[in-house]
Amino acid sequence: SKGFWKKNRDTLIPSILQLFSSSKDALLKSMYGKSTAQENQASGSPFRSRRGSTVTQTVMSGFKTRLQFLVNNLEKTQLHFVRCINSNPIKASMTFNQQFCLAQLRCSGVIEALRVTRSRFASRMQYQTFLDRYWMLVPANMRLQAQAISIQQQCVFILSQSAREEKDFAIGKTLVFIKQPLQERLEKQKQAHVFSSVITVQRYLRMGCAQRSFRLALGNAQR
């Protein structure tokens, strides 16, 4: 609490000080005389107003300035909502009650929101962006044939290989619309293809290292 009063003291507006100092009441004039005005002006941080006169920045004006700065920063950001749920009714650590969590999700509308999200086209991509991301899913023996057709037909070909129903995706003039279940299947197939490719690269690298070690060992044995 040391220095709290000096740090949080709010200075008065100069017009109020002038009004009190020119008052006919002796008590007000003695309380807010020239010495008080000079002290408040010295304690505050002056800033230049629009008219060019120097005024004292009060605690409230400083708070307004910082609050406006915070609001401006918030307006530049994107909102993300985080919903917290309790894992158990007794608030114990390392305890998970599935039915209790499910009831909270249902009451808060999270499950219904997920159902609505999965029923609509959650993903929208341009044709070229879609091909750059999922071209690897085209079988190697059909890539020459796929390159001969239009970019729109290439997207339809890739989607038809993974879609269970035709309503899982839609083709627009410039965009591909994909529902969430189909998007998840495409991502899983992509991850499996990347994992298989990594294993193939590792296999050839290990084979090359083994062949090199064998040649070195054979050369040393012949010497």
Side-chain angles (χ1 to χ4, degrees), residues 31-61:
M31 291 176 59
Y32 299 97
K34 294 183 178 180
S35 60
T36 305
Q38 294 176 357
E39 181 182 356
N40 289 334
Q41 186 175 1
S43 62
S45 55
F47 65 92
R48 188 70 59 181
S49 65
R50 293 182 179 178
R51 296 182 180 179
S53 60
T54 303
V55 296
T56 304
Q57 183 178 12
T58 63
V59 174
M60 181 58 67
S61 62

Side-chain angles (χ1 to χ4, degrees), residues 46-102:
F47 65 92
R48 188 70 59 181
S49 65
R50 293 182 179 178
R51 296 182 180 179
S53 60
T54 303
V55 296
T56 304
Q57 183 178 12
T58 63
V59 174
M60 181 58 67
S61 62
F63 173 76
K64 282 179 158 183
T65 303
R66 292 190 295 270
L67 182 60
Q68 186 63 37
F69 179 75
L70 176 61
V71 171
N72 293 336
N73 288 338
L74 292 176
E75 290 178 351
K76 297 177 183 178
T77 59
Q78 296 181 355
L79 297 179
H80 296 277
F81 296 94
V82 178
R83 188 180 298 275
C84 299
I85 61 175
N86 294 326
S87 59
N88 57 83
I90 59 177
K91 298 181 180 181
S93 60
M94 305 301 293
T95 303
F96 180 77
N97 190 325
Q98 183 177 0
Q99 297 299 327
F100 183 73
C101 296
L102 184 60

Side-chain angles (χ1 to χ4, degrees), residues 8-10 13 16 40 42 49 54 64-65 76 80 101 104 111 116 128 130 139 150-151 158-159 201 204 208 215:
N8 296 274
R9 183 179 60 176
D10 197 355
I13 301 175
I16 296 179
N40 289 334
S49 65
T54 303
K64 282 179 158 183
T65 303
K76 297 177 183 178
H80 296 277
C101 296
Q104 294 179 78
I111 295 181
V116 173
Q128 191 60 47
F130 179 82
S150 64
I151 186 173
I158 297 174
L159 289 169
V201 173
Y204 278 100
R215 293 193 188 98

Side-chain angles (χ1 to χ4, degrees), residues 112-127:
E112 185 65 20
L114 291 175
R115 188 188 66 80
V116 173
T117 302
R118 293 177 67 88
S119 63
R120 65 182 181 88
F121 297 107
S123 178
R124 304 176 183 181
M125 297 184 189
Q126 294 184 353
Y127 291 147

Side-chain angles (χ1 to χ4, degrees), residues 1-219:
S1 62
K2 185 178 181 181
F4 178 83
W5 177 78
K6 292 183 178 180
K7 184 185 298 184
N8 296 274
R9 183 179 60 176
D10 197 355
T11 56
L12 296 176
I13 301 175
S15 59
I16 296 179
L17 293 176
Q18 294 177 4
L19 180 64
F20 285 160
S21 61
S22 61
S23 176
K24 296 181 180 180
D25 191 296
L27 179 61
L28 289 176
K29 192 171 184 180
S30 62
M31 291 176 59
Y32 299 97
K34 294 183 178 180
S35 60
T36 305
Q38 294 176 357
E39 181 182 356
N40 289 334
Q41 186 175 1
S43 62
S45 55
F47 65 92
R48 188 70 59 181
S49 65
R50 293 182 179 178
R51 296 182 180 179
S53 60
T54 303
V55 296
T56 304
Q57 183 178 12
T58 63
V59 174
M60 181 58 67
S61 62
F63 173 76
K64 282 179 158 183
T65 303
R66 292 190 295 270
L67 182 60
Q68 186 63 37
F69 179 75
L70 176 61
V71 171
N72 293 336
N73 288 338
L74 292 176
E75 290 178 351
K76 297 177 183 178
T77 59
Q78 296 181 355
L79 297 179
H80 296 277
F81 296 94
V82 178
R83 188 180 298 275
C84 299
I85 61 175
N86 294 326
S87 59
N88 57 83
I90 59 177
K91 298 181 180 181
S93 60
M94 305 301 293
T95 303
F96 180 77
N97 190 325
Q98 183 177 0
Q99 297 299 327
F100 183 73
C101 296
L102 184 60
Q104 294 179 78
L105 293 175
R106 285 176 176 171
C107 294
S108 60
V110 175
I111 295 181
E112 185 65 20
L114 291 175
R115 188 188 66 80
V116 173
T117 302
R118 293 177 67 88
S119 63
R120 65 182 181 88
F121 297 107
S123 178
R124 304 176 183 181
M125 297 184 189
Q126 294 184 353
Y127 291 147
Q128 191 60 47
T129 303
F130 179 82
L131 288 179
D132 293 340
R133 188 174 184 85
Y134 299 111
W135 176 255
M136 64 181 67
L137 300 181
V138 179
N141 58 349
M142 302 183 64
R143 291 184 179 179
L144 291 177
Q145 300 176 4
Q147 291 176 355
I149 59 180
S150 64
I151 186 173
Q152 184 178 2
Q153 293 176 346
Q154 292 176 15
C155 296
V156 174
F157 175 76
I158 297 174
L159 289 169
S160 60
Q161 298 295 321
S162 302
R164 296 177 180 175
E165 299 179 359
E166 294 183 358
K167 63 180 182 180
D168 289 342
F169 67 93
I171 301 297
K173 187 175 181 180
T174 59
L175 297 176
V176 179
F177 301 88
I178 311 172
K179 289 188 176 180
Q180 188 66 26
L182 179 57
Q183 176 75 20
E184 293 175 356
R185 286 197 296 272
L186 290 173
E187 287 296 327
K188 289 181 180 179
Q189 293 176 6
K190 178 186 174 183
Q191 292 178 1
H193 182 80
V194 171
F195 185 73
S196 177
S197 301
V198 170
I199 292 178
T200 302
V201 173
Q202 290 180 347
R203 183 170 65 248
Y204 278 100
L205 286 175
R206 291 175 180 176
M207 181 182 66
C209 293
Q211 290 177 352
R212 183 179 179 183
S213 300
F214 177 76
R215 293 193 188 98
L216 292 175
L218 183 61

